[in-house]
Amino acid sequence: MAKRKWWLLTLCLGLLVPLAVGGTLAYFTDEEKAENVFTVGNVDITLTEPSWQDAQSAYPGEVLDKDPRVTNTGRNPCFVRLSVANLDQFVRAYGTQAMIGLRFRGEAGYNTADWVLAADGCYYYFSGGSGVLESGEVTEAVFDQVVMPTALTNDAKTLPIVVTAQAVQAQGARPAWEDVSAMTVEEIAAWFAQTFPAE
């Protein structure tokens, strides 16, 4: 009987030792979890022409109000460019003097204070030494009038003057934000080319 009690005591001690060790080990373990909450930004723009009115007809030499500007309605800063199509729609029929002209504040041409016409034919927003358009900001108009050529004759067929605005994120164009703000128009055009490859 003594042998059986001894064996039972040994068995109990054998079971208690792993429990004691396991309990001790629990004091030397740890678990932590970090939850990183972040919001994905976005790039979103709106193109408006506040002064434009759909014209039923236009006569030779007529000046029409057309003032394209872009609003950054997204959450992130962006670069913006505009392209204008069909200014040359009468050239084939009437020659180079039939190009539709642009004006800004009464002067021939476009707004060179806030926009740069690049080699790719697009107008890039570049105001105050930077091409960055911050969230909520609105560009100045790239031009505010178009001038119909005087070379037109009766019943000349017309096409719409199409203005297209594009935007690409500014963040990430360079590793440091101060370098992004200092990008040249040529560098911004190259950044666009990565996002909007030539067709």
Side-chain angles (χ1 to χ4, degrees), residues 19-50:
L19 288 174
V21 170
T24 303
L25 289 178
Y27 289 105
F28 292 101
T29 61
D30 191 14
E31 180 179 333
E32 293 183 7
K33 179 165 51 171
E35 293 186 7
N36 298 314
V37 178
F38 62 92
T39 303
V40 177
N42 70 342
V43 172
D44 195 13
I45 56 171
T46 302
L47 173 65
T48 56
E49 295 181 321

Short mmCIF file of all heavy atoms in Angstrom, two decimals, residues 19-50:
data_model
loop_
_atom_site.label_atom_id
_atom_site.label_comp_id
_atom_site.label_asym_id
_atom_site.label_seq_id
_atom_site.Cartn_x
_atom_site.Cartn_y
_atom_site.Cartn_z
N LEU A 19 2.69 21.95 -15.18
CA LEU A 19 1.75 23.04 -14.99
C LEU A 19 2.45 24.26 -14.38
O LEU A 19 2.21 25.39 -14.78
CB LEU A 19 0.60 22.61 -14.08
CG LEU A 19 -0.42 21.63 -14.70
CD1 LEU A 19 -1.42 21.18 -13.63
CD2 LEU A 19 -1.14 22.31 -15.85
N ALA A 20 3.32 24.02 -13.44
CA ALA A 20 4.05 25.12 -12.81
C ALA A 20 4.97 25.79 -13.82
O ALA A 20 5.05 27.01 -13.91
CB ALA A 20 4.85 24.60 -11.62
N VAL A 21 5.65 24.97 -14.63
CA VAL A 21 6.55 25.53 -15.65
C VAL A 21 5.74 26.30 -16.67
O VAL A 21 6.09 27.40 -17.07
CB VAL A 21 7.38 24.41 -16.32
CG1 VAL A 21 8.12 24.93 -17.52
CG2 VAL A 21 8.34 23.81 -15.32
N GLY A 22 4.61 25.70 -17.10
CA GLY A 22 3.75 26.38 -18.07
C GLY A 22 3.24 27.70 -17.52
O GLY A 22 3.23 28.70 -18.21
N GLY A 23 2.85 27.73 -16.27
CA GLY A 23 2.41 28.96 -15.64
C GLY A 23 3.53 29.97 -15.57
O GLY A 23 3.34 31.16 -15.80
N THR A 24 4.73 29.53 -15.31
CA THR A 24 5.88 30.43 -15.24
C THR A 24 6.19 31.00 -16.62
O THR A 24 6.45 32.18 -16.78
CB THR A 24 7.12 29.68 -14.70
OG1 THR A 24 6.79 29.13 -13.43
CG2 THR A 24 8.30 30.60 -14.58
N LEU A 25 6.13 30.14 -17.63
CA LEU A 25 6.41 30.59 -18.99
C LEU A 25 5.41 31.65 -19.44
O LEU A 25 5.75 32.53 -20.20
CB LEU A 25 6.39 29.42 -19.96
CG LEU A 25 7.58 28.45 -19.84
CD1 LEU A 25 7.41 27.31 -20.82
CD2 LEU A 25 8.90 29.17 -20.09
N ALA A 26 4.19 31.58 -18.97
CA ALA A 26 3.19 32.55 -19.37
C ALA A 26 3.58 33.95 -18.94
O ALA A 26 3.21 34.92 -19.57
CB ALA A 26 1.84 32.17 -18.79
N TYR A 27 4.35 34.06 -17.89
CA TYR A 27 4.78 35.37 -17.43
C TYR A 27 5.86 35.97 -18.33
O TYR A 27 6.12 37.15 -18.30
CB TYR A 27 5.31 35.29 -16.00
CG TYR A 27 4.22 35.06 -14.98
CD1 TYR A 27 4.07 33.82 -14.40
CD2 TYR A 27 3.35 36.07 -14.64
CE1 TYR A 27 3.07 33.60 -13.47
CE2 TYR A 27 2.34 35.85 -13.72
CZ TYR A 27 2.21 34.61 -13.13
OH TYR A 27 1.21 34.39 -12.22
N PHE A 28 6.50 35.14 -19.16
CA PHE A 28 7.58 35.61 -20.02
C PHE A 28 7.17 35.73 -21.49
O PHE A 28 7.99 35.90 -22.35
CB PHE A 28 8.78 34.67 -19.91
CG PHE A 28 9.42 34.72 -18.56
CD1 PHE A 28 9.16 33.72 -17.63
CD2 PHE A 28 10.25 35.76 -18.20
CE1 PHE A 28 9.73 33.76 -16.37
CE2 PHE A 28 10.82 35.81 -16.95
CZ PHE A 28 10.57 34.81 -16.02
N THR A 29 5.89 35.66 -21.76
CA THR A 29 5.42 35.84 -23.13
C THR A 29 4.57 37.10 -23.20
O THR A 29 4.09 37.61 -22.19
CB THR A 29 4.57 34.64 -23.59
OG1 THR A 29 3.45 34.52 -22.75
CG2 THR A 29 5.39 33.36 -23.59
N ASP A 30 4.43 37.60 -24.44
CA ASP A 30 3.68 38.83 -24.62
C ASP A 30 3.11 38.85 -26.04
O ASP A 30 3.67 38.22 -26.94
CB ASP A 30 4.59 40.05 -24.40
CG ASP A 30 3.81 41.33 -24.33
OD1 ASP A 30 2.57 41.28 -24.17
OD2 ASP A 30 4.43 42.41 -24.46
N GLU A 31 2.04 39.55 -26.23
CA GLU A 31 1.48 39.71 -27.57
C GLU A 31 0.94 41.11 -27.71
O GLU A 31 0.24 41.61 -26.82
CB GLU A 31 0.34 38.69 -27.78
CG GLU A 31 -0.30 38.81 -29.15
CD GLU A 31 -1.40 37.80 -29.37
OE1 GLU A 31 -1.37 36.73 -28.74
OE2 GLU A 31 -2.30 38.10 -30.16
N GLU A 32 1.31 41.75 -28.79
CA GLU A 32 0.82 43.10 -29.07
C GLU A 32 0.32 43.15 -30.50
O GLU A 32 0.83 42.46 -31.37
CB GLU A 32 1.94 44.13 -28.89
CG GLU A 32 2.39 44.28 -27.46
CD GLU A 32 3.44 45.36 -27.31
OE1 GLU A 32 3.69 46.06 -28.29
OE2 GLU A 32 3.99 45.48 -26.21
N LYS A 33 -0.67 43.99 -30.73
CA LYS A 33 -1.19 44.16 -32.08
C LYS A 33 -1.37 45.64 -32.33
O LYS A 33 -1.97 46.34 -31.52
CB LYS A 33 -2.53 43.42 -32.23
CG LYS A 33 -3.12 43.58 -33.60
CD LYS A 33 -4.24 42.60 -33.91
CE LYS A 33 -5.33 42.51 -32.90
NZ LYS A 33 -6.48 41.72 -33.34
N ALA A 34 -0.82 46.12 -33.44
CA ALA A 34 -0.99 47.52 -33.82
C ALA A 34 -1.92 47.58 -35.02
O ALA A 34 -1.71 46.90 -36.01
CB ALA A 34 0.36 48.15 -34.17
N GLU A 35 -2.95 48.38 -34.92
CA GLU A 35 -3.86 48.57 -36.04
C GLU A 35 -3.62 49.95 -36.61
O GLU A 35 -3.88 50.96 -35.97
CB GLU A 35 -5.31 48.42 -35.58
CG GLU A 35 -5.64 47.01 -35.15
CD GLU A 35 -7.11 46.85 -34.83
OE1 GLU A 35 -7.89 47.79 -35.08
OE2 GLU A 35 -7.48 45.77 -34.33
N ASN A 36 -3.08 49.99 -37.82
CA ASN A 36 -2.79 51.25 -38.49
C ASN A 36 -3.96 51.62 -39.39
O ASN A 36 -4.20 50.99 -40.40
CB ASN A 36 -1.51 51.13 -39.33
CG ASN A 36 -0.32 50.83 -38.45
OD1 ASN A 36 -0.16 51.45 -37.42
ND2 ASN A 36 0.48 49.86 -38.84
N VAL A 37 -4.67 52.65 -38.99
CA VAL A 37 -5.82 53.10 -39.76
C VAL A 37 -5.35 54.21 -40.69
O VAL A 37 -4.71 55.16 -40.26
CB VAL A 37 -6.94 53.63 -38.84
CG1 VAL A 37 -8.11 54.13 -39.66
CG2 VAL A 37 -7.37 52.53 -37.89
N PHE A 38 -5.64 54.06 -41.98
CA PHE A 38 -5.28 55.11 -42.93
C PHE A 38 -6.39 55.27 -43.95
O PHE A 38 -7.19 54.37 -44.17
CB PHE A 38 -3.95 54.81 -43.63
CG PHE A 38 -3.96 53.54 -44.45
CD1 PHE A 38 -4.27 53.57 -45.80
CD2 PHE A 38 -3.65 52.32 -43.87
CE1 PHE A 38 -4.28 52.42 -46.55
CE2 PHE A 38 -3.66 51.16 -44.61
CZ PHE A 38 -3.97 51.20 -45.96
N THR A 39 -6.43 56.44 -44.54
CA THR A 39 -7.42 56.74 -45.56
C THR A 39 -6.72 56.92 -46.89
O THR A 39 -5.74 57.65 -46.97
CB THR A 39 -8.18 58.03 -45.21
OG1 THR A 39 -8.78 57.86 -43.93
CG2 THR A 39 -9.26 58.33 -46.23
N VAL A 40 -7.19 56.26 -47.91
CA VAL A 40 -6.62 56.42 -49.24
C VAL A 40 -7.11 57.73 -49.82
O VAL A 40 -8.29 58.04 -49.79
CB VAL A 40 -7.02 55.24 -50.15
CG1 VAL A 40 -6.49 55.45 -51.55
CG2 VAL A 40 -6.50 53.93 -49.58
N GLY A 41 -6.19 58.53 -50.33
CA GLY A 41 -6.55 59.81 -50.93
C GLY A 41 -7.11 59.62 -52.32
O GLY A 41 -7.31 58.51 -52.79
N ASN A 42 -7.39 60.73 -52.97
CA ASN A 42 -7.87 60.64 -54.35
C ASN A 42 -7.54 61.91 -55.11
O ASN A 42 -7.27 62.95 -54.52
CB ASN A 42 -9.38 60.35 -54.39
CG ASN A 42 -10.21 61.52 -53.92
OD1 ASN A 42 -9.73 62.42 -53.26
ND2 ASN A 42 -11.47 61.51 -54.26
N VAL A 43 -7.53 61.80 -56.42
CA VAL A 43 -7.35 62.93 -57.31
C VAL A 43 -8.64 63.08 -58.09
O VAL A 43 -9.10 62.13 -58.72
CB VAL A 43 -6.15 62.72 -58.26
CG1 VAL A 43 -6.09 63.81 -59.31
CG2 VAL A 43 -4.85 62.67 -57.47
N ASP A 44 -9.23 64.26 -58.01
CA ASP A 44 -10.49 64.51 -58.70
C ASP A 44 -10.53 65.98 -59.08
O ASP A 44 -10.22 66.84 -58.25
CB ASP A 44 -11.66 64.15 -57.77
CG ASP A 44 -12.99 64.04 -58.51
OD1 ASP A 44 -12.98 63.98 -59.75
OD2 ASP A 44 -14.03 64.02 -57.84
N ILE A 45 -10.90 66.26 -60.32
CA ILE A 45 -10.97 67.65 -60.78
C ILE A 45 -12.31 67.91 -61.44
O ILE A 45 -13.00 66.99 -61.86
CB ILE A 45 -9.84 67.99 -61.77
CG1 ILE A 45 -9.85 67.03 -62.97
CG2 ILE A 45 -8.48 68.01 -61.08
CD1 ILE A 45 -8.92 67.43 -64.11
N THR A 46 -12.64 69.20 -61.54
CA THR A 46 -13.83 69.64 -62.26
C THR A 46 -13.41 70.73 -63.23
O THR A 46 -12.73 71.69 -62.83
CB THR A 46 -14.89 70.18 -61.29
OG1 THR A 46 -15.22 69.17 -60.34
CG2 THR A 46 -16.15 70.59 -62.03
N LEU A 47 -13.81 70.59 -64.48
CA LEU A 47 -13.55 71.60 -65.51
C LEU A 47 -14.81 72.42 -65.69
O LEU A 47 -15.89 71.87 -65.92
CB LEU A 47 -13.15 70.92 -66.82
CG LEU A 47 -13.00 71.82 -68.05
CD1 LEU A 47 -11.85 72.81 -67.88
CD2 LEU A 47 -12.80 70.98 -69.30
N THR A 48 -14.69 73.75 -65.57
CA THR A 48 -15.84 74.63 -65.77
C THR A 48 -15.47 75.75 -66.74
O THR A 48 -14.30 76.09 -66.90
CB THR A 48 -16.31 75.26 -64.44
OG1 THR A 48 -15.20 75.95 -63.83
CG2 THR A 48 -16.84 74.20 -63.49
N GLU A 49 -16.49 76.30 -67.36
CA GLU A 49 -16.35 77.47 -68.24
C GLU A 49 -17.48 78.42 -67.88
O GLU A 49 -18.51 78.45 -68.56
CB GLU A 49 -16.41 77.06 -69.71
CG GLU A 49 -15.25 76.19 -70.14
CD GLU A 49 -15.32 75.81 -71.61
OE1 GLU A 49 -16.43 75.54 -72.13
OE2 GLU A 49 -14.26 75.77 -72.26
N PRO A 50 -17.33 79.20 -66.82
CA PRO A 50 -18.44 80.00 -66.30
C PRO A 50 -19.06 80.97 -67.31
O PRO A 50 -20.26 81.24 -67.24
CB PRO A 50 -17.80 80.77 -65.13
CG PRO A 50 -16.61 79.98 -64.75
CD PRO A 50 -16.12 79.31 -66.00
#
